[in-house]
Amino acid sequence: MNIIVCVKQVPDTEARIKCKDGANGIVRDGIKLCMSPYDEFALEAALRLKEQHGGTVTVLAVGPDRAKEVLKTGLAVGADKAVLVSDASLAGTDGRGVAVTLAAALKKLPHDLVLFGKKAVGVDRGQVGPQVAHRLDLPFVSQAGELAHENGAMRVVREIEGGQEHFEVALPAMLSVDKTANELRKASLKGIMGAKSKPIQAWSLSDLGLSAADVAPRLQVVHTEHPPQRGAGRIIDGEAVAAARELVRLLREEAKVI
Amino acid sequence: MMETLPQTAPVGPSFELSEEHKMLKDMVADFATNTLAPRAAEYDRSTEFPWDNVKAMAELGLLGINMPEDLGGAAMDSTSYVIAIEEIARGCASTAVIAAVQNGLVNLPIYKFGTPEQKAKYIPRLTSGEIIGAYSLTEPGSGSDAVAMQTRARREGDRYILNGTKVFVTNGMAASVFVVYATLDPALKSKGVCAFIIEKGFPGFTVGKHEEMMGVRASGTCELMLDNCEVPAENLLGKEGDGFKIALATLDGGRLGIAAQAIGIAQACLDYSLKYTQERQQFGKPIASFQMIQSKLVEMAVNIDAARLLLHRAAWLRDRGMRFTKEASMAKLFASETAMKAGIEAVQCLGGYGYTKDYPVERHFRDAKITQIYEGTSEVQRMVIARHLLGQA
């Protein structure tokens, strides 16, 4: 089974994010970047499927040259191949532009199963996976939990409100993966050394038969801002019973959380 | 914009880590933060050998960093080794010395001086973590003056018979295989010393008292007793009389490991002090806004950086097959002094809280001290460096 995992490089969830002064977006210089955590769950799921059923795992990313770092991580934990689509025209594109690019790349890469994280941590839009599935006309299950491969089909369990849904989906198919208990394994030293000898294929838009116009953004972020600063806490003085009563009143009437 | 000068050949040494080194550092840092650090206080308290940490390190390949792939190693360089040990030490100093001993003092001398049979027999089991190794030079009466050892070896047919007592054997409580030094005759001084690979089950070999120590308390450090211990002749490492040469060559590399451990401890001190002093409020502001606290943080940071540069240079020399004895001693001396100072200042930054076991810095303080003592005291490092300066090396 040929599995392709689409991964995105995002700011580390522990990085201190700064908005650009007077412009949209965030300052990316000097902050630690990593593979989006949901993509890590997708990659771990792919590696487990490969261990059980054989085949190959390819990691695919759209991004600047620096995004090679996440592909290297993928190779070090056990992916067989890596592909980076990088092009100056992709700077500032939107989810649709990325989906157009990934769909074109996937047409050149043989695949039985394509996995995404359910969304990229950071902007959290969750647009790209479904759009790619639509463009390639592949069956798509979102927010997959447990995955199993049986008789040429995927069995997928997904959590829903108060229960679980069980799907069976014929291959080729596309899934977006939710957080599960199976965290991405760490790269062993041998894996890190082995990654050196696995090449990263680099494609530009023209390699995919695309032009800048094909990925021109149709959405524009008009403004990015930090959440408001959290105010200081308040201590309710007085005798316990009265204080508790006052706390409940404030939570209900002012904070409106209960 | 950063200015760049027009580049002319030759280009100087690189201060940027390679891709693989960065990946290794990130991976081990994550392992130290999320796996080792949360367990460190409890292992320090209980003094139990951290088998779960050892197992996890083996799975990651951290017990065979420099060994070739056909012996189960990762075939990485000395720079990788010091990066890994530093990061492990940032999480747990006991676990770092366990790894440093296995990699630097057991795998390496067996690899470098062992016969093909010895390598094939022991190294794959060490790199896979199936067995733990220990290194045993020090005796009750001979520390820095190792040649004065009293443990005797005599050849009897196809075996050697060893008698004596060894102390401060890191990993000793957990180890199955020991690199042990003994002398054929103390009168032969350094020329009489032999190195042996001893298995725990050899007749006459006993693991003695588990030392209750100030720091690196989970390192399984203990005494060994050799009472007519029978060692097959094929377990002699190198030739008769090679022991002192093996010990010195091994300790040069070992010093890189301890320097790395010291830097990791110092970095843990700085990390915690930075976090704490920005949160702790006195006189209405975070104490990190006071210059006297800033001065402590700056001292720690500058010393750590300098120590790391000294260490990476020594590793760089070693990887190129160049002499690195003096540079290893400089790195070990400076790094261990840095760790001790960082321990003292980190406790001071936390004040009364730093003096309690509710915070990790008192453990770092205790762990730091040993780095000035083992694998050559600070005084011995100064002797080594002085000999080089005076052309006596």
Side-chain angles (χ1 to χ4, degrees), chain B residues 178-352:
Chain B
F178 300 76
V179 175
V180 177
Y181 295 86
T183 180
L184 296 169
D185 179 358
L188 292 171
K189 303 239 167 116
S190 64
K191 292 185 174 60
V193 180
C194 303
F196 297 93
I197 305 171
I198 296 188
E199 293 179 25
K200 196 176 181 176
F202 286 175
F205 179 87
T206 318
V207 171
K209 182 171 74 101
H210 183 188
E211 297 291 351
E212 172 94 8
M213 299 192 296
M214 177 198 272
V216 291
R217 287 166 53 78
S219 57
T221 301
C222 66
E223 287 180 355
L224 301 181
M225 268 88 78
L226 303 154
D227 181 13
N228 286 320
C229 176
E230 296 175 26
V231 181
E234 71 249 29
N235 277 41
L236 176 70
L237 186 59
K239 295 193 295 291
E240 282 190 1
D242 277 355
F244 198 63
K245 185 184 78 183
I246 295 174
L248 289 185
T250 304
L251 287 176
D252 278 349
R255 281 165 190 164
L256 301 184
I258 300 311
Q261 182 199 26
I263 295 168
I265 295 169
Q267 186 68 52
C269 289
L270 175 59
D271 291 347
Y272 206 89
S273 300
L274 277 172
K275 177 174 127 69
Y276 182 88
T277 57
Q278 290 177 83
E279 287 165 4
R280 170 71 171 173
Q281 302 256 342
Q282 289 291 280
F283 307 103
K285 36 186 169 171
I287 61 172
S289 63
F290 298 116
Q291 288 184 346
M292 273 190 277
I293 295 293
Q294 288 173 6
S295 169
K296 295 182 195 303
L297 300 172
V298 169
E299 281 296 306
M300 281 190 235
V302 174
N303 283 330
I304 289 168
D305 222 23
R308 195 179 283 126
L309 288 170
L310 282 174
L311 176 59
H312 283 219
R313 178 187 59 172
W316 186 93
L317 289 170
R318 185 200 205 185
D319 284 333
R320 279 154 189 79
M322 294 153 89
R323 280 208 75 179
F324 67 103
T325 303
K326 180 183 74 176
E327 289 78 7
S329 279
M330 285 180 162
K332 199 268 187 185
L333 172 65
F334 193 77
S336 57
E337 306 279 308
T338 293
M340 194 65 249
K341 283 189 222 159
I344 290 170
E345 294 297 18
V347 170
Q348 196 68 19
C349 282
L350 271 73

Side-chain angles (χ1 to χ4, degrees), chain A residues 72 76 186-190 196, chain B residues 20 23 27 30 60-61 73-74:
Chain A
K72 284 242 170 169
K186 287 188 175 66
S188 70
L189 272 57
K190 281 180 202 176
K196 269 206 306 199
Chain B
E20 288 73 32
M23 285 171 80
M27 183 280 282
D30 178 47
L60 292 170

